[in-house]
Amino acid sequence: MELAAKLAEDLRAKDLFLKDVKSAGVYLNFFVKYPDYSKKVLTSVKELGEGYGRPVIWEGKRIVVEYVSANPVHPLHIGSGRNAVLGDFIYRILKFSGAEVQRRYYVDDVGLQVAYLGYGYIKLGKPNPPAGMKPDHYYGLIYAATTTIIDILKLKKELDVKKSSGNNERVLELSRQIDELMSDLARIKEKIPEEIDALLNALSRVEDPESEVNELMRKYEAGDKDSEPVREVASKVVEGIRKTLESLGIEMDVWDWESDLIRSGMVDKVLREARESLHFTEHKGVPALQFEGLLKDPALRKKLRIPEGLDIPPLILVRKNGSTLYTTRDIAYTLKKFREFDADLVINVIAVEQTLPQAQLRLALHALGHAREAESLIHYKYEMVNLPGTSMSGRRGRYVTVDEVLEKMTTLVQELMKGKKSEAGDKALKIARSAFKYMMLSASPSKTLVFDLRKALDTNQLSGPYLQYTYARANSVLEKAGEVEWDTVDFSATSQGLRRRLIWLIGKFPSVMSKVASELHPEDLVHFLNEVADAFNAWYDKEPILKEGDRGVRALKLAITASVKTVLGTGMSVLGLDVLRRI
RNA sequence: GGGCCCGUGGCCUAGCCAGGAUUAAGGCACCGGCCUUCGGAGCCGGAGGUCCCGGGUUCAAAUCCCGGCGGGCCCGCCA
């Protein structure tokens, strides 16, 4: 209690827009000189404009953000959509905060998944998509069909064996699994019936398709000519993905192909480094790194942000057939990202399910002598996006694509815009994609998202457009008003009701932004902008702005409106929502 | 089995890390109002809560600690 009184005394002595400070029990009550504070806030917004609220915490840093990086085997689904939207937010907030930022997409064309697609593609005689179907959608179906058929054939083989051996329990289980896959396949077949028949026909004549896929993968990694179609089909899928990102308003600076990385010799170099490392081992007969020694050091664990209870198995570097594994290549790729951009920090936006390999990656970097890179590699995690009832699966063709969500939302927005003073063009898309991004940004990344398309398309739940609408409303008032007469603003009229609250919120914006920038939590900014929009709309309804008779008060109201517009505009553009003067 | 994450009115989401002055906040859905005035994609009012459960720490717990329960994810020569 005495401490509070003492503090009050001290604070009173300093001049921080404070009228008075009183202690009340354990609390300190601050009384702000509202006219002075308001003047400071509003003129700051006026002078700094779009720079108002710019945090300085990343000033001068060089940062690489890797995001999306979906495998080139199917279209972007809404899980990748969450990744894309979050990654883009990170790019924007870092850039706004003064960092040099580079956006990279890692095309994993060397892995097993692309080999499956390439295999099906070759078996079908390298078909082109039918007219009107995007390549990523078409080849996504081929990919799902190929993996599903191969799995069915494999299970059937086992079923035959188990039947003759009389293992009834296993027979039932296998039959059930096969039925499930058959129904997945039937669903795919509705879209590409001819291809499915051709694939079934071709694959059922192959003795062991799985090992052929593996062989194709090995050849591709080795740069064998026979495997060229793999790159070809992956490129077509990537082109489709690029289009989807474009319609989301998301661009990349660099597209890195994993196969190029291998051809550059960087992966070989990593393998040589690994063999010389103290942590090198043979695990089950193949080269690996083991981290037991490193994990015993609590200080290092902390530096590398290895979750406390996490058990880290050895990292296998090379398969028995000589091909490398994803994380092995990712070691080389991480070094490439650091070097090519001379980066202080590399942020990987990757789903939480990859926590373990990302931790292994940091440990491996450290083990190979790249301590700085290991410590400066951030895994920005986000939780999964599931569909009501099920989870998505690329291998089975069970997913909701970003394209179809955007398309449906755009149509919906167009309906709503009918009869309004809507200008044509891509405005409906801009509103729709902002609504989509808003959904992805408003929930904490640490929460699982259940994506319900019906809810996404519910007109009344389009909260992204609410911000756009409020911005357009403020803009409209200002356009009608002409210039804000800053010299005549009456700052003494700032202390009541909603004006006071609005100025308070506007003044809070810089501290909100620096918290958001340091923690990279988009949801905090989303909620703040909602507060601003709510306060502005309530105020707008209560107090006429343009019709205000008192010149000084009118100028004040316009200054507040202009500041709200600036804050909303800056906040929305950092989130990646389209800022529209009219909607 | 082990590890990590999540659990807040019917549904969704803030607040939790840095415990107090928020009477637990906002949106959807629900009920009732507001278009002769600056953009009704809006505003005002109402109803609706065991902050998953149980202990503990504290003057004070949605918030911290321990133990449960429910859901998601991981524990591959997949990524």
Side-chain angles (χ1 to χ4, degrees):
Chain A
M1 314 304 141
E2 278 175 35
L3 187 66
K6 176 80 175 67
L7 259 172
E9 192 62 34
D10 289 355
L11 283 164
R12 230 173 290 164
K14 297 182 181 171
D15 190 24
L16 295 164
F17 305 110
L18 295 178
K19 184 154 61 181
D20 200 2
V21 180
K22 285 181 184 161
S23 65
V26 291
Y27 304 104
L28 269 184
N29 289 326
F30 294 79
F31 295 87
V32 176
K33 293 177 195 161
Y34 229 76
D36 293 3
Y37 179 69
S38 302
K39 184 171 185 181
K40 175 73 181 159
V41 168
L42 296 176
T43 52
S44 295
V45 181
K46 181 203 165 217
E47 277 159 23
L48 299 172
E50 284 168 12
Y52 178 68
R54 184 189 300 283
V56 291
I57 43 174
W58 300 104
E59 194 72 52
K61 294 282 183 203
R62 301 186 60 80
I63 305 173
V64 171
V65 186
E66 183 209 321
Y67 60 110
V68 192
S69 296
N71 289 342
V73 292
H74 50 57
L76 294 185
H77 53 66
I78 48 181
S80 327
R82 188 175 199 181
N83 184 313
V85 171
L86 284 170
D88 204 51
F89 154 73
I90 290 167
Y91 161 75
R92 287 165 189 272
I93 185 78
L94 292 175
K95 186 144 185 166
F96 183 68
S97 313
E100 287 291 318
V101 194
Q102 187 185 52
R103 297 164 287 185
R104 300 183 88 123
Y105 186 121
Y106 189 37
V107 182
D108 172 23
D109 60 329
V110 183
L112 204 48
Q113 301 187 20
V114 175
Y116 270 97
L117 170 59
Y119 185 69
Y121 180 66
I122 292 168
K123 285 286 171 195
L124 285 171
K126 305 199 277 182
N128 284 312
M133 197 188 279
K134 279 181 77 208
D136 47 338
H137 289 251
Y138 179 65
Y139 296 116
L141 293 169
I142 305 273
Y143 166 72
T146 307
T147 55
T148 304
I149 290 171
I150 289 177
D151 287 349
I152 289 171
L153 293 173
K154 194 170 134 195
L155 290 174
K156 276 191 171 162
K157 240 179 223 173
E158 194 189 339
L159 183 66
D160 289 342
V161 174
K162 291 283 151 46
K163 261 185 183 160
S164 52
S165 74
N167 184 342
N168 287 331
E169 209 170 295
R170 183 67 186 149
V171 165
L172 277 173
E173 171 61 17
L174 284 168
S175 309
R176 195 194 57 75
Q177 284 179 16
I178 290 171
D179 284 349
E180 200 182 316
L181 293 185
M182 289 299 278
S183 79
D184 281 321
L185 189 62
R187 212 187 49 248
I188 299 165
K189 190 170 171 176
E190 284 170 20
K191 291 175 185 151
I192 48 167
E194 285 164 32
E195 285 86 342
I196 299 298
D197 286 338
L199 255 185
L200 269 171
N201 192 11
L203 294 182
S204 52
R205 275 181 293 162
V206 176
E207 178 62 29
D208 184 358
E210 214 176 352
S211 70
E212 292 196 356
V213 170
N214 272 282
E215 179 58 11
L216 182 62
M217 176 181 65
R218 196 198 57 74
K219 279 183 171 173
Y220 186 61
E221 184 167 343
D224 187 303
K225 247 186 151 3
D226 291 354
S227 65
E228 272 172 8
V230 174
R231 172 89 182 214
E232 184 181 298
V233 69
S235 302
K236 292 179 181 180
V237 174
V238 166
E239 187 46 33
I241 289 174
R242 205 191 54 71
K243 285 241 166 66
T244 303
L245 290 176
E246 191 181 292
S247 58
L248 278 174
I250 294 174
E251 272 178 57
M252 291 290 156
D253 298 308
V254 183
W255 296 76
D256 295 297
W257 286 74
E258 206 169 17
S259 52
D260 294 343
L261 187 77
I262 288 179
R263 318 252 192 276
S264 74
M266 287 186 75
V267 178
D268 285 335
K269 187 162 174 256
V270 161
L271 287 172
R272 283 196 302 276
E273 283 179 4
R275 285 180 190 281
E276 286 160 21
S277 161
L278 289 170
H279 307 279
F280 182 80
T281 183
E282 293 248 327
H283 185 73
K284 298 180 184 169
V286 285
L289 290 170
Q290 52 96 6
F291 308 115
E292 280 165 30
L294 296 177
L295 291 167
K296 274 182 209 143
D297 177 355
L300 181 67
R301 254 191 118 109
K302 201 167 176 198
K303 262 198 233 171
L304 298 184
R305 298 173 306 282
I306 307 297
E308 230 163 270
L310 193 62
D311 242 354
I312 314 259
L315 174 66
I316 294 185
L317 299 165
V318 183
R319 293 187 183 94
K320 200 168 274 173
N321 75 1
S323 59
T324 54
L325 283 118
Y326 179 82
T327 308
T328 311
R329 292 173 245 132
D330 210 6
I331 298 169
Y333 182 48
T334 304
L335 295 171
K336 180 183 163 87
K337 286 185 284 190
F338 272 104
R339 279 170 201 164
E340 284 188 0
F341 194 62
D342 188 23
D344 299 304
L345 204 65
V346 169
I347 300 178
N348 291 342
V349 181
I350 302 179
V352 67
E353 58 185 348
Q354 292 203 40
T355 300
L356 177 61
Q358 284 291 306
Q360 286 177 315
L361 175 58
R362 294 193 295 278
L363 285 161
L365 284 164
H366 187 91
L368 301 195
H370 307 288
R372 181 186 78 86
E373 287 83 353
E375 286 166 31
S376 313
L377 178 66
I378 309 291
H379 177 197
Y380 185 91
K381 304 177 217 200
Y382 63 93
E383 271 290 349
M384 312 302 295
V385 181
N386 292 321
L387 301 174
T390 48
S391 57
M392 287 185 283
S393 165
R395 290 173 64 83
R396 302 291 166 244
R398 278 196 299 255
Y399 44 75
V400 175
T401 66
V402 172
D403 287 331
E404 66 180 293
V405 172
L406 277 183
E407 197 187 311
K408 285 178 180 164
M409 290 179 89
T410 303
T411 308
L412 186 81
V413 171
Q414 275 164 346
E415 292 292 315
L416 287 170
M417 283 171 75
K418 271 183 190 164
K420 299 213 168 191
K421 44 181 170 182
S422 58
E423 299 143 41
D426 57 356
K427 194 161 280 180
L429 172 64
K430 284 183 173 172
I431 295 170
R433 75 186 180 197
S434 297
F436 177 74
K437 289 180 180 181
Y438 185 99
M439 277 192 292
M440 295 298 178
L441 293 169
S442 56
S444 159
S446 65
K447 286 202 178 185
T448 312
L449 218 63
V450 177
F451 188 88
D452 188 336
L453 188 58
R454 273 186 331 207
K455 276 189 185 168
L457 293 176
D458 180 348
T459 317
N460 295 316
Q461 301 202 12
L462 298 177
S463 304
Y466 173 65
L467 294 178
Q468 291 176 309
Y469 168 80
T470 307
Y471 179 89
R473 188 181 230 187
N475 179 252
S476 170
V477 171
L478 290 165
E479 278 182 5
K480 290 207 168 100
E483 289 292 295
V484 179
E485 296 179 314
W486 283 93
D487 297 339
T488 60
V489 171
D490 179 2
F491 290 106
S492 70
T494 49
S495 45
Q496 7 119 345
L498 287 163
R499 294 181 201 171
R500 182 191 175 87
R501 172 159 169 76
L502 273 167
I503 291 166
W504 188 252
L505 286 170
I506 294 162
K508 222 174 101 177
F509 184 58
S511 69
V512 170
M513 287 299 273
S514 47
K515 186 163 185 278
V516 167
S518 64
E519 294 175 358
L520 303 178
H521 285 176
E523 71 276 17
D524 293 347
L525 181 53
V526 169
H527 287 279
F528 174 78
L529 294 181
N530 268 320
E531 278 188 89
V532 174
D534 287 344
F536 177 73
N537 283 320
W539 177 61
Y540 172 93
D541 210 63
K542 202 167 268 177
E543 290 192 33
I545 300 167
L546 296 176
K547 294 204 169 130
E548 173 61 51
D550 184 294
R551 197 169 158 207
V553 175
R554 184 177 189 268
L556 169 69
K557 288 180 172 177
L558 288 171
I560 293 173
T561 306
S563 301
V564 166
K565 182 187 156 185
T566 301
V567 165
L568 286 178
T570 301
M572 284 161 69
S573 62
V574 161
L575 290 171
L577 309 181
D578 291 282
V579 178
L580 304 170
R581 298 168 64 82
R582 298 173 200 288
I583 72 169

